[in-house]
Amino acid sequence: MGSFNKCIETLETCLSDAKMKKSSVEQVILVGGSTRLPKVQHMLQEFLDGKELCKSVNPDEAVAYGAAVMAAKLSGSTVKSVQDVLLHDVTPLSLGIDVLGDVLSVVIPRNTPIPTSNAKEYYTTYDNQSFIAIEVYQGERSRSTDNHLLGKFSIYEIPPAPKGVSSIMVRFEIDSDGILTVTASIESSGKMEKLVISNESGRLSKEEIDKMVNDAEKYNLEDQEFKKKAEAYNALDDCLYRMKNKIKEHRVKTSVHPEILKLMQKAIDDKAEWLEENQAASLAELYNMKVDLEFICKPLL
């Protein structure tokens, strides 16, 4: 039964990846020798709420025929019926970069048809940041280091500016041969750096890809918790940064009572010290600290 159940699990994954419901399936064509088994046919029909199965195609010939057409296409056959065939491939795993908090920021999601291109804008994470190290990962886990590192590069000469002002556009492009090109450009100056990753340079095997997909499902709840915690940590850090800058403004110093200013300054200092000493704080603690800080520093807002 374990082997039979895997057939249904494969179908469930297929529908989930395609973002389709069972009711959207118009026709079921049996392909592959194992679909001859009455048990497989029964389970399949049951899974698809009694939908009739198409058995007019020879399940063994279908696989061989498909392989022959693909081989002919790749070898440059001049037969028109082969030339008219369009081969589609997809990215087997998500592709993205490491951002603040060891979080994977996905630029190209898993199962995106290739060739494809997508870009995301990122901002500096501290004042006068002069360079950004870009680490490119492949995988489905929320924590960057739980995924597969494909390569890394850096972009320098970012103009001096406060945190979050300078922006860097990161573009991922995958061509029809599966070659990935990652480009980073500084928006204000136009300076650009890039990394090219071919299929041979460190990409994962089918077995490794399957393991990563299975791990993502296995650790789904743990990954969600990690991502929420990282977001809460960054939110508190950003809040502290805003308050530190606000309290220095001339308008605030002249309009807020000195005792209240002292109280707010102490709250900012205390929370900053607490955050530095409590890197492993819980989600609830981080959330409560931010709420408390915003309440005390309400005059700044």
Side-chain angles (χ1 to χ4, degrees):
M1 272 313 295
S3 297
F4 286 126
N5 288 333
K6 277 184 184 176
C7 296
I8 304 303
E9 285 169 18
T10 301
L11 282 171
E12 288 173 334
T13 302
C14 182
L15 288 169
S16 171
D17 289 347
K19 296 179 175 59
M20 284 177 67
K21 295 178 180 176
K22 288 190 282 185
S23 56
S24 305
V25 177
E26 292 179 11
Q27 194 172 22
V28 184
I29 302 168
L30 303 180
V31 174
S34 59
T35 58
R36 295 183 188 281
L37 296 169
K39 179 67 177 173
V40 171
Q41 293 180 11
H42 172 74
M43 289 179 72
L44 178 57
Q45 201 161 12
E46 199 174 53
F47 175 75
L48 292 164
D49 303 323
K51 188 175 285 291
E52 281 300 314
L53 309 177
C54 173
K55 301 176 185 177
S56 60
V57 177
N58 183 309
D60 299 314
E61 284 181 8
V63 178
Y65 187 92
V69 170
M70 187 168 185
K73 177 77 174 176
L74 293 173
S75 62
S77 171
T78 54
V79 178
K80 189 177 185 308
S81 59
V82 171
Q83 288 180 328
D84 291 342
V85 172
L86 184 63
L87 300 177
H88 283 292
D89 202 355
V90 297
T91 54
L93 292 170
S94 298
L95 296 162
I97 66 168
D98 174 56
V99 294
L100 188 65
D102 194 22
V103 175
L104 178 69
S105 173
V106 174
V107 180
I108 295 181
R110 175 174 174 248
N111 285 324
T112 299
I114 58 175
T116 187
S117 173
N118 194 31
K120 267 191 178 182
E121 193 171 23
Y122 297 93
Y123 296 87
T124 50
T125 54
Y126 56 88
D127 291 344
N128 301 318
Q129 187 171 345
S130 60
F131 79 99
I132 285 183
I134 295 168
E135 295 183 348
V136 181
Y137 284 90
Q138 179 185 31
E140 300 306 311
R141 304 290 300 278
S142 296
R143 193 192 304 267
S144 296
T145 46
D146 286 337
N147 296 294
H148 178 64
L149 178 65
L150 288 172
K152 52 188 175 180
F153 66 107
S154 297
I155 186 162
Y156 294 87
E157 298 176 28
I158 299 172
K163 166 185 173 178
V165 171
S166 296
S167 65
I168 291 85
M169 185 65 74
V170 178
R171 178 171 293 280
F172 278 47
E173 292 181 83
I174 307 176
D175 65 17
S176 55
D177 294 321
I179 294 171
L180 169 65
T181 303
V182 182
T183 309
S185 57
I186 301 169
E187 296 283 86
S188 57
S189 66
K191 183 175 171 58
M192 186 182 292
E193 296 290 344
K194 72 176 179 178
L195 172 71
V196 178
I197 301 164
S198 67
N199 281 324
E200 294 75 33
S201 57
R203 301 287 267 271
L204 297 172
S205 66
K206 185 183 183 304
E207 290 73 22
E208 289 170 319
I209 289 168
D210 289 343
K211 184 183 182 302
M212 293 206 82
V213 172
N214 291 333
D215 282 351
E217 291 172 4
K218 183 178 175 183
Y219 299 111
N220 184 35
L221 292 176
E222 185 183 311
D223 283 355
Q224 283 181 25
E225 188 66 23
F226 166 78
K227 195 171 182 181
K228 285 178 187 173
K229 207 168 128 181
E231 286 170 353
Y233 183 95
N234 291 341
L236 176 56
D237 190 48
D238 285 343
C239 186
L240 278 164
Y241 179 82
R242 290 200 321 274
M243 299 307 172
K244 281 176 185 175
N245 288 333
K246 275 275 182 189
I247 205 166
K248 293 174 187 172
E249 290 178 5
H250 177 72
R251 179 183 60 80
V252 171
K253 287 180 177 178
T254 55
S255 62
V256 179
H257 193 280
E259 287 302 314
I260 296 173
L261 274 175
K262 272 187 192 177
L263 187 70
M264 290 191 295
Q265 186 64 62
K266 186 177 185 310
I268 292 167
D269 293 341
D270 288 349
K271 297 288 189 288
E273 187 180 340
W274 179 88
L275 189 62
E276 200 171 317
E277 294 173 356
N278 292 272
Q279 302 287 318
S282 69
L283 177 63
E285 286 175 315
L286 291 164
Y287 176 77
N288 290 335
M289 280 287 171
K290 183 172 178 286
V291 170
D292 189 42
L293 180 64
E294 288 176 336
F295 179 75
I296 295 169
C297 295
K298 202 171 181 182
L300 296 180
L301 302 171

